[in-house]
Amino acid sequence: MQTKTNWSLALGMVLLIQLLSACAAKEDAQLQKPNILFIMSDDHAYQAISAYSDHLINTPHIDRLAKEGMLFTNASVTNSICAPSRATILTGKHTHINGKIDNIMPFDTNQVTFPQLFQAAGYQTAMYGKLHFGNNPKGVDDFMILPGQGNYINPRFITPNGDTTITGYTTDIITDLTLNWLDKKRDKEKPFLMMYLHKAPHRAWWPSPEKFKTFSQKSFPEPESLFDDYENRGRAAKEAAMTISNHMLLSYDVKVLPEAVSALEIDDDPRSARFFRGNEYPRINDEQKALYQPVLDSIAEDFKTRWPSMTDREKRSWKYQRYMQDYLGCISSVDDNVGRVLDYLDENGLAENTIVVYTSDQGFYLGEHGWFDKRFIYDESFKTPLLIRWPNEITAGTTSDEMVQNLDFAQTFLEAAQIDAPTDMQGESFLPILNGAKESLDREAVYYHYYEYPGAHSVKRHYGIVTQDYKLAHFYYDVDEWELYDRNKDPQEMRNVYSDPTYAEVVTTLHKELDALRVKYQDSPDLDQKYIDIYEERRRKREQNRK
Ligand code: SGN
Ligand code: CA
């Protein structure tokens, strides 16, 4: 009897020990799961990251991610505009499937977004900064997001417990919030997913007072195509309303005080003065004003002295310089702040097992083709910066020219965290590229579709296919034009060779491949029409409301 009891006791002990160690192993596995720090800025052109090219600015902190990780030279988006890009990132689905075709269309919140899957799998999750999505995020334990586009100075935030306004410069503040959560708010026993989302360098490109001062003294090289005349292209490029010459506003964009503009009796667009009279400049306090005003005065002075005698070309160059000074001033703050966060990871032993991603919601024109803004399938807006560091898995200093897309992020992160991805996501995990398991994905081409037309900047609707060598696009709705670019021979995309007989075979092949991609991703002429009808309906409603 005695013996039997001892035996059961011993067995019980063994079972208990096994159970405890199983729990510990589970906890260990949970702890070993990588953290994800997803850093995204808004409208950050890869041309303005020195890991890609240092002709405009040095971004030493963002560059660290390339030096210590992987730089993607061919990363792109599926629809080059803010909210649609974010919807694609969150759902892992193309615009025509997740329904967020433009910045206006509401997002159906019944859809699964990847942070929800991380949260359900035991991750600590948070989001700070610009979501610009129309809805509050789902699947995050904590968030503070800017309403809509948000403000650069003294921004208001939406939080789970109501609104709050914080004094200071938005890029610094979003970083403070992020660091505060990492340091004080999260459960350090669990892996984390942090979405750290900058507003900068979005229009109207408003740098911090210090950067405004220093960058207004700098000058920058002009891109070769600054004076593009859009010959050899279709109507879409000619009719886009995003030129530095005609659509970049003197007060709103390049910060010439409205008094200086009217002193020269120039008819600036009526919307232009709103920067100084609307919700941006007037929200700053006296202390901030004392820092900004002297720089604004000297810009106004320079403008009044030089503008009247400038040729049109010189005016374009002058505006380009002002644009770059402000845009790059914003980038410089983003870079400094990325540095603060990377330092935090280093100092807290988090660097090794944290996947740090730096990207933008799309690319941007920095004077190429005479433009600012984005939207087109052409490279500067179609491509987006992407740098990823994960010391445990990625070989430092590697470069990949794989055609990865924002469509792939969700599945990549989920696979890295060993969480099952829903089967209806449309991307492909590029984890094998990151950890070197594969040299390339089984992907010959990517698909693109832009919708927001008629709309801001008048970039016509188009869809297309991009391979390593070519780009074929169809502009439709109020045109029916095809464009083909030879990416190797014409990297600046200055010559549409669609009708050039030398490319006849390429055209035939690409048409077939494009049709196949449309089928693969379930896009169709019916859906094109559905999304046109939505615009027609919106227009009818607007007209009715006017009556
Ligand atoms: C605003 C900007 C546009 C910009 C869109 C979309 N105009 O409308 O220049 O293209 O946002 O940007 S502004 O006069 O309000 O600055 S997005 O990044 O949100 O898609
Ligand atoms: Ca954007």
Side-chain angles (χ1 to χ4, degrees):
M1 200 63 197
Q2 189 75 15
T3 335
K4 203 173 173 196
T5 314
N6 279 347
W7 267 108
S8 345
L9 205 72
L11 189 67
M13 289 294 281
V14 169
L15 286 176
L16 188 69
I17 290 167
Q18 272 176 353
L19 190 75
L20 284 176
S21 56
C23 286
K26 202 170 158 208
E27 234 168 57
D28 255 18
Q30 190 72 352
L31 260 183
Q32 277 160 12
K33 283 197 170 192
N35 304 306
I36 297 181
L37 171 62
F38 182 75
I39 314 174
M40 185 160 77
S41 45
D42 193 336
D43 293 359
H44 191 170
Y46 55 86
Q47 308 92 294
I49 294 181
S50 43
Y52 286 94
S53 164
D54 62 3
H55 71 294
L56 288 174
I57 189 171
N58 271 316
T59 50
H61 305 292
I62 297 172
D63 289 9
R64 264 189 73 185
L65 300 176
K67 278 200 198 100
E68 297 165 13
M70 194 176 270
L71 176 81
F72 287 85
T73 57
N74 233 334
S76 62
V77 296
T78 63
N79 179 358
S80 179
I81 180 152
C82 194
S85 168
R86 289 152 201 265
T88 290
I89 290 171
L90 290 170
T91 59
K93 291 176 184 167
H94 273 280
T95 293
H96 59 273
I97 301 290
N98 68 44
K100 187 94 179 131
I101 56 164
D102 60 15
N103 277 341
I104 303 143
M105 193 80 173
F107 176 73
D108 173 3
T109 54
N110 292 317
Q111 301 184 78
V112 174
T113 58
F114 82 82
Q116 289 168 272
L117 303 171
F118 273 80
Q119 192 181 45
Y123 266 71
Q124 290 271 289
T125 56
M127 180 185 286
Y128 294 105
K130 180 174 172 184
L131 178 60
H132 188 206
F133 199 52
N135 310 101
N136 289 350
K138 279 190 165 178
V140 287
D141 307 332
D142 192 28
F143 69 84
M144 286 180 81
I145 56 166
L146 298 166
Q149 299 281 12
N151 289 107
Y152 271 107
I153 320 275
N154 308 338
R156 184 164 71 83
F157 285 89
I158 300 168
T159 85
N161 317 310
D163 288 12
T164 177
T165 296
I166 305 180
T167 305
Y169 186 63
T170 194
T171 306
D172 302 331
I173 296 169
I174 293 167
T175 310
D176 294 343
L177 296 173
T178 298
L179 288 173
N180 183 51
W181 186 84
L182 286 173
D183 202 42
K184 304 210 166 65
K185 287 180 130 176
R186 74 191 164 100
D187 173 354
K188 291 185 179 160
E189 300 303 309
K190 291 182 178 169
F192 66 81
L193 164 70
M194 160 59 78
M195 312 279 286
Y196 163 44
L197 310 174
H198 284 295
K199 167 189 168 63
H202 194 272
R203 196 183 184 193
W205 320 302
W206 193 215
S208 70
E210 304 75 39
K211 303 287 184 188
F212 192 46
K213 193 170 169 203
T214 49
F215 276 74
S216 67
Q217 302 301 313
K218 295 182 192 253
S219 62
F220 300 94
E222 292 178 350
E224 266 177 63
S225 59
L226 181 62
F227 297 96
D228 193 351
D229 57 8
Y230 313 116
E231 279 308 297
N232 306 313
R233 245 92 21 98
R235 273 180 54 194
K238 292 188 182 80
E239 291 175 24
M242 48 193 240
T243 63
I244 291 181
S245 282
N246 300 325
H247 307 100
M248 187 173 270
L249 308 175
L250 283 172
S251 291
Y252 185 74
D253 289 317
V254 296
K255 321 288 182 312
V256 180
L257 291 167
E259 304 81 86
V261 178
S262 31
L264 296 187
E265 290 177 10
I266 293 168
D267 257 347
D268 197 13
D269 189 297
R271 288 171 304 144
S272 183
R274 88 196 129 115
F275 180 83
F276 291 98
R277 300 188 177 143
N279 197 23
E280 203 57 74
Y281 199 63
R283 62 188 295 116
I284 75 178
N285 61 35
D286 288 348
E287 210 181 306
Q288 293 161 333
K289 206 174 214 160
L291 300 168
Y292 280 118
Q293 200 61 43
V295 185
L296 288 167
D297 289 340
S298 76
I299 293 169
E301 216 26 64
D302 186 48
F303 175 78
K304 280 197 282 188
T305 333
R306 292 171 54 206
W307 189 266
S309 59
M310 281 185 202
T311 63
D312 285 348
R313 268 181 98 88
E314 286 163 346
K315 284 177 179 162
R316 190 183 301 198
S317 294
W318 190 88
K319 283 170 93 176
Y320 168 76
Q321 292 301 333
R322 280 292 314 115
Y323 168 34
M324 282 304 94
Q325 289 164 356
D326 293 347
Y327 181 91
L328 297 168
C330 291
I331 300 286
S332 183
S333 282
V334 170
D335 189 60
D336 291 349
N337 279 287
V338 166
R340 289 174 63 204
V341 176
L342 295 183
D343 285 348
Y344 178 85
L345 298 182
D346 286 340
E347 287 154 15
N348 290 276
L350 289 166
E352 285 301 302
N353 200 30
T354 298
I355 303 176
V356 183
V357 179
Y358 187 90
T359 192
S360 168
D361 59 345
Q362 11 68 206
F364 212 68
Y365 294 94
L366 304 184
E368 299 86 357
H369 305 292
W371 288 333
F372 63 101
D373 215 68
K374 53 254 179 177
R375 298 158 195 272
F376 275 112
I377 194 174
Y378 309 138
D379 265 11
E380 291 80 3
S381 43
F382 163 72
K383 295 211 297 191
T384 196
L386 179 63
L387 306 88
I388 306 185
R389 185 185 78 174
W390 184 11
N392 276 354
E393 295 285 334
I394 301 176
T395 309
T398 41
T399 297
S400 169
D401 69 351
E402 275 304 296
M403 287 189 293
V404 298
Q405 292 201 289
N406 59 349
L407 180 71
D408 305 319
F409 288 160
Q411 278 151 284
T412 305
F413 302 156
L414 289 165
E415 194 184 3
Q418 299 149 43
I419 304 169
D420 288 337
T423 49
D424 61 349
M425 283 190 171
Q426 296 186 303
E428 187 177 338
S429 163
F430 58 85
L431 182 69
I433 303 297
L434 296 177
N435 62 20
K438 267 192 188 175
E439 233 163 66
S440 63
L441 297 175
D442 308 318
R443 176 183 272 174
E444 300 288 322
V446 295
Y447 182 60
Y448 183 87
H449 201 153
Y450 172 79
Y451 297 85
E452 199 179 280
Y453 182 88
H457 300 296
S458 300
V459 172
K460 294 184 191 299
R461 286 171 190 240
H462 58 294
Y463 59 84
I465 176 173
V466 183
T467 68
Q468 291 279 7
D469 298 327
Y470 300 102
K471 194 175 279 182
L472 173 72
H474 182 214
F475 291 85
Y476 66 99
Y477 180 68
D478 59 351
V479 278
D480 179 10
E481 290 186 347
W482 287 87
E483 296 185 11
L484 173 73
Y485 295 93
D486 183 328
R487 300 186 81 196
N488 301 312
K489 291 203 179 123
D490 177 25
Q492 293 194 49
E493 299 165 310
M494 302 295 282
R495 204 162 72 88
N496 169 18
V497 291
Y498 185 77
S499 305
D500 180 336
T502 2
Y503 289 91
E505 226 171 274
V506 173
V507 166
T508 312
T509 314
L510 284 176
H511 267 294
K512 275 196 207 129
E513 288 176 11
L514 175 58
D515 289 348
L517 273 190
R518 299 246 298 164
V519 171
K520 173 180 169 186
Y521 291 125
Q522 300 154 39
D523 204 0
S524 64
D526 283 352
L527 276 180
D528 301 349
Q529 191 55 48
K530 171 183 154 184
Y531 291 127
I532 289 172
D533 292 345
I534 287 175
Y535 267 58
E536 297 295 323
E537 186 54 35
R538 261 190 217 160
R539 191 175 50 81
R540 265 196 298 277
K541 277 203 186 126
R542 266 202 313 272
E543 272 165 20
Q544 256 170 18
N545 287 345
R546 239 177 263 142
K547 275 179 205 157

